[in-house]
Amino acid sequence: MTTFFQLVVVGISTGSVFAIVGMSLVLVYRATGIVNFAQGVFAVVGGLVTYSLSQHMSLVLAGLLAVLVTAIVATGVAVVAVGIRGRTTHLASLIITVGIAILAEAVLLAAFGEVPRSYSAISDRAWNVGGVLVQPQYAALALVALLAAFGLTLFLRRTIVGQALVASADSPRAAELIGLNLRSIAVIAFALAGALTAVGGVLLAPTVPVSYSSGLTITINGFAAAVFGGLVSIRLALLGGYVLGVVEQLVVGYVDPQYNLIIALVVMLVLIGWRSRGELAV
Amino acid sequence: MTLLELDDVTVRYGEAVAVDGVSLTVAPRERVALIGPNGAGKTSLLNAACGVIRPALGRVRIEADDVTGATPGAIVRRGVSQVPEGRHVFTTLPVEANLLLGAYGRVFRLEIVSSTLRYLRSRRDVRDQLDRIYDLLPKLRELRERPAGRTSGGEQQMVAIGRALMARPRLLAIDELSLGLAPMLVQSLAEFLVRLNEEEGVAILLVDQSASLAFSLCERAYVLETGRVALEGPSKDLVGRAEVRSAYLGGSPGAPS
């Protein structure tokens, strides 16, 4: 039983990263209607930049700077994805982000090399909760995911900027007519989502080393979490991330680590199908 | 001085000419109608005036300033707001958020932080304007918490008008006021627009397929056909014209007026 709970704890921690990426995808989708397939790249940029900078400065400062750098990179991705005039179709934007994700791997390989990178966690001690080891790093990831879910929900519902983001995807034509600039809106959404995903990446690297090619797996997991909430629900994306993380760890622990992603995605598919059937029945 | 002036405006979509050298003016506090059949170029002309599309030829002026090719946001800041065809309310947002965004859009520029600060600084003005709109359209106050997508067609038209009015326009351009709405509702919206015009001094440019509504609401009208102005003049003169009667008012050609 201890093994089970240990797997669940690790699962919640990795699941928090999926949730963070998933919520970032939801944010971008709700503001622009674009599914950003380069989202996972931002986690990798966050982790690798933190590693590089930490050779020259304190880890905390390196992490903060990495988040800032990623937000700037995300701004660039936004401009390319939505086009200079903001009139690229959503499908074209999606394909552009796929291209960016592929290109990013090459750029990251050239810039950071192929060795997966890791650095020291917040603390090397772990809490012992009835035989289950809980690392502070896990707790930090879970806390960030929860805070992000809470903050994003409030942001989108209650603030004028959040409402402007939602409005822009809801009716781009009307948003433009009342004076909103769709490209500015896209840039803000991508930058916020990029920064959030980068925080996830910065906190992830000490537990799971990240390399230039980690982006795709992170994107797929984040996407599965986001789809759990129909790409629009922050809360369900959070839940989806946790479910995905825990199922993957259980597969690693009890079945075969080789199949963890595949089995977890099948479970997600079944859950999504079940959830949407439930929705239709209401 | 004219408030809005379209000077020999041509709009093209690739090879197709939607608007072919149309000139149109709206004076301050005036009510002007733009009528014509489907595909006559009414919406294209309105979009050219509001910065949604850039005219291929001709100029757009607001109070004698050339605004040709300006963004929709710049046009809104100059005092011309559009209520789009099909209303396009923000369906998932509450009615009140729809309205507030009208005020936010007016102060929105490229850069979001200063735009938002500008909005927050004008918070009191925005509240006053919101109260005024709730007084003018009390139905919206009742619906303030409801997602705009879950209101009726007529209520959505009120939301769209209210949202445009939040930008404090001097000219309200309305594309298809009556589309899909019950006649009684259209009547009360028309009365509201007249009141808005007379009491608040907001000029109206109304695009509608219903000529009878347009003529009864507006002092002056333009009749557009295949991208050109076929007729223009005071509504009361146009109502009597045989060709207008036959084409738009359901009368037979040559029937006594």
Side-chain angles (χ1 to χ4, degrees):
Chain A
M1 211 54 195
T2 312
T3 316
F4 175 80
F5 283 115
Q6 187 65 59
L7 289 170
V8 169
V9 165
V10 176
I12 285 179
S13 124
T14 51
S16 296
V17 178
F18 305 155
I20 287 168
V21 178
M23 290 185 290
S24 303
L25 283 166
V26 167
L27 175 63
V28 168
Y29 182 77
R30 285 196 66 180
T32 65
I34 296 171
V35 177
N36 178 18
F37 266 89
Q39 194 67 40
V41 170
F42 299 150
V44 176
V45 172
L48 292 180
V49 170
T50 304
Y51 172 80
S52 296
L53 291 178
S54 68
Q55 312 294 313
H56 312 287
M57 59 185 78
S58 81
L59 198 50
V60 174
L61 190 59
L64 288 174
L65 276 176
V67 171
L68 190 67
V69 168
T70 312
I72 293 166
V73 171
T75 302
V77 171
V79 173
V80 177
V82 303
I84 297 297
R85 294 174 57 201
R87 296 204 197 278
T88 313
T89 64
H90 292 164
L91 185 61
S93 293
L94 186 148
I95 290 164
I96 290 169
T97 65
V98 172
I100 290 171
I102 294 167
L103 181 68
E105 282 202 8
V107 173
L108 288 168
L109 178 62
F112 297 98
E114 58 184 333
V115 186
R117 296 298 188 185
S118 190
Y119 36 84
S120 56
I122 295 169
S123 157
D124 9 320
R125 270 179 294 176
W127 298 305
N128 189 326
V129 186
V132 178
L133 291 180
V134 180
Q135 293 182 20
Q137 195 76 17
Y138 296 169
L141 274 169
L143 189 67
V144 167
L146 280 174
L147 281 178
F150 184 70
L152 281 177
T153 306
L154 263 178
F155 172 68
L156 291 175
R157 283 215 190 128
R158 295 270 168 237
T159 69
I160 192 79
V161 180
Q163 288 167 339
L165 297 194
V166 174
S168 297
D170 193 327
S171 175
R173 180 168 152 60
E176 208 177 15
L177 270 179
I178 63 171
L180 300 179
N181 182 307
L182 295 182
R183 195 159 53 99
S184 305
I185 297 281
V187 163
I188 286 302
F190 270 77
L192 277 177
L196 177 59
T197 295
V199 171
V202 170
L203 291 174
L204 173 72
T207 60
V208 184
V210 293
S211 76
Y212 72 98
S213 61
S214 309
L216 182 62
T217 315
I218 296 174
T219 302
I220 290 174
N221 280 297
F223 182 65
V227 169
F228 193 69
L231 275 173
V232 294
S233 166
I234 294 286
R235 269 177 301 179
L236 286 176
L238 177 73
L239 186 64
Y242 286 151
V243 171
L244 194 58
V246 169
V247 171
E248 282 188 15
Q249 285 308 312
L250 292 179
V251 174
V252 168
Y254 294 116
V255 190
D256 185 338
Q258 256 193 313
Y259 300 118
N260 73 334
L261 182 59
I262 294 186
I263 294 181
L265 288 180
V266 169
V267 170
M268 286 301 277
L269 207 60
V270 171
L271 284 176
I272 290 163
W274 169 72
R275 194 184 64 81
S276 47
R277 246 186 50 187
E279 249 179 12
L280 285 177
V282 171
Chain B
M1 197 192 328
T2 51
L3 180 49
L4 173 70
E5 182 187 5
L6 300 176
D7 184 5
D8 209 9
V9 165
T10 295
V11 176
R12 289 200 199 108
Y13 300 104
E15 290 293 293
V17 177
V19 177
D20 188 6
V22 169
S23 295
L24 173 153
T25 61
V26 183
R29 299 175 164 265
E30 198 181 16
R31 297 196 297 268
V32 176
L34 183 59
I35 63 166
N38 253 335
K42 306 183 300 286
T43 298
S44 296
L45 190 62
L46 211 56
N47 282 339
C50 294
V52 178
I53 36 180
R54 198 194 162 96
L57 294 167
R59 315 306 302 176
V60 179
R61 297 188 193 92
I62 296 176
E63 292 183 319
D65 289 341
D66 195 327
V67 294
T68 317
T71 62
I75 302 289
V76 168
R77 287 194 291 279
R78 299 302 308 263
V80 175
S81 287
Q82 191 195 128
V83 178
E85 180 182 351
R87 306 181 267 275
H88 290 275
V89 296
F90 303 125
T91 51
T92 54
L93 293 172
V95 165
E96 185 156 296
N98 270 266
L99 299 177
L100 291 174
L101 281 169
Y104 185 57
R106 188 194 159 101
V107 297
F108 195 91
R109 310 281 165 87
L110 255 183
E111 200 276 300
I112 201 153
V113 176
S114 59
S115 300
T116 309
L117 286 176
R118 243 192 321 274
Y119 171 80
L120 293 176
R121 269 200 302 271
S122 64
R123 201 66 201 255
R124 182 167 297 178
D125 277 355
V126 173
R127 272 283 144 199
D128 288 350
Q129 181 69 356
L130 187 64
D131 280 337
R132 254 160 43 112
I133 283 163
Y134 282 150
D135 290 343
L136 288 166
L137 296 162
K139 188 81 195 171
L140 293 183
R141 184 177 267 131
E142 283 171 44
L143 297 169
R144 63 208 287 178
E145 304 282 343
R146 190 177 303 176
R150 287 201 216 134
T151 60
S152 72
E155 288 159 357
Q156 289 189 19
Q157 187 65 282
M158 286 182 211
V159 173
I161 292 172
R163 182 179 63 191
L165 290 176
M166 282 299 286
R168 299 174 183 269
R170 278 166 301 154
L171 170 65
L172 191 63
I174 303 172
D175 198 359
E176 301 290 354
L177 177 74
S178 64
L179 196 73
L181 301 183
M184 259 184 48
L185 222 124
V186 173
Q187 193 52 44
S188 75
L189 281 173
E191 281 162 19
F192 164 73
L193 289 177
V194 171
R195 204 150 51 89
L196 182 77
N197 172 255
E198 284 171 354
E199 290 172 15
E200 314 267 325
V202 178
I204 308 267
L205 175 59
L206 177 73
V207 170
D208 215 290
Q209 288 200 52
S210 160
S212 54
L213 170 75
F215 286 153
S216 70
L217 190 69
C218 299
E219 303 133 339
R220 214 154 57 76
Y222 293 79
V223 180
L224 222 56
E225 261 169 35
T226 57
R228 295 211 170 105
V229 175
L231 286 167
E232 62 173 289
S235 299
K236 58 181 191 316
D237 296 351
L238 291 180
V239 170
R241 298 278 287 262
E243 58 266 47
V244 174
R245 293 185 68 86
S246 67
Y248 306 112
L249 295 173
S252 57
S257 49

